[in-house]
Amino acid sequence: MFETLEDVRADCTNRLIRAAKDRKSPMHTPVIVTGDVDARVMVLRAFDSRAWTLRLHTDLRSPKAQVIAADPRMAVLFYDKGAKIQIRAHGEGQILTTGPQVDAAWAASTNFARRCYLGDGPGTASDVPTSGLPAEFEGVEPDDEQIIPARENFALLMITLTAFDWLYLAHTGHVRAQFTRTSDEWQGRWVSP
């Protein structure tokens, strides 16, 4: 099934393309790790297979935005239990708040999704369980005028991948490959699992 390093790289590319487009893909919600060694599950919104960049949405007020600005090192963990494939990736993150990519991502979102950026910033303390949303938007979609203030809190997290480790778990014997990026070229090697 995976006879060459090119087969493995193609498999990774195809899985990430699918993960960004298919909500049912097991790799649609990877674990994202910032330089402060904090991990969280996020939704993969897009994958650019030429630039090897991941696009995720985030709140500019979240602690991770400040961490990434100070230390752009990132790790990403994808896992497909059914296929028994794990991809561990490393790269550099960047928070974008303006520009055509940010505007396009905002425009492609629904007001129901955008409302997340209307509430309290991530990590805001509360005396009671809370979604952080203003009460009038609990379960309610804001209109176009009501959503305007949310835009200033919306940001993209772009992660440019520089290395990845692919592991196929097989009862006949696991198979593992590692790839590093130099300029626009990927160099791969087989390694023992």
Side-chain angles (χ1 to χ4, degrees), residues 20 23 80 175:
R23 301 174 98 170
D80 182 332
V175 180

Side-chain angles (χ1 to χ4, degrees), residues 109-116 133 137-142 147:
S109 297
T110 65
N111 282 356
F112 198 77
R114 293 175 184 162
R115 75 191 172 112
C116 297
L133 291 172
F137 299 124
E138 286 283 349
V140 176
E141 182 172 6
I147 207 67

Side-chain angles (χ1 to χ4, degrees), residues 27 78 84 92-93 116 119 125 149 160 178:
M27 294 188 174
F78 298 93
K84 300 179 184 173
E92 292 196 358
C116 297
T160 301
Q178 294 177 331

Side-chain angles (χ1 to χ4, degrees), residues 34-115:
T34 46
D36 60 348
V37 200
D38 196 7
R40 77 273 298 143
V41 173
M42 294 181 73
V43 175
L44 179 61
R45 304 293 181 166
F47 170 64
D48 180 336
S49 61
R50 285 191 307 257
W52 276 76
T53 56
L54 309 174
R55 188 189 87 212
L56 306 104
H57 297 176
T58 192
D59 192 312
L60 182 60
R61 302 167 296 172
S62 70
K64 72 178 162 291
Q66 285 70 47
V67 170
I68 293 164
D71 181 355
R73 293 175 303 152
M74 306 285 301
V76 185
L77 174 63
F78 298 93
Y79 184 61
D80 182 332
K81 181 179 178 181
K84 300 179 184 173
I85 291 178
Q86 171 185 272
I87 301 170
R88 292 183 300 149
H90 292 94
E92 292 196 358
Q94 181 182 17
I95 300 292
L96 301 178
T97 58
T98 60
Q101 282 184 297
V102 182
D103 293 339
W106 180 257
S109 297
T110 65
N111 282 356
F112 198 77
R114 293 175 184 162
R115 75 191 172 112

Side-chain angles (χ1 to χ4, degrees), residues 99-171:
Q101 282 184 297
V102 182
D103 293 339
W106 180 257
S109 297
T110 65
N111 282 356
F112 198 77
R114 293 175 184 162
R115 75 191 172 112
C116 297
Y117 304 98
L118 278 174
D120 296 330
T124 300
S126 174
D127 292 331
V128 296
T130 180
S131 69
L133 291 172
E136 65 268 27
F137 299 124
E138 286 283 349
V140 176
E141 182 172 6
D143 64 32
D144 290 344
E145 188 173 317
Q146 292 170 316
I147 207 67
I148 292 171
R151 174 60 182 87
E152 69 186 49
N153 299 321
F154 177 75
L156 299 185
L157 167 54
M158 302 296 293
I159 304 173
T160 301
L161 301 181
T162 56
F164 66 92
D165 185 302
W166 174 92
L167 176 64
Y168 174 53
L169 301 168
H171 71 280

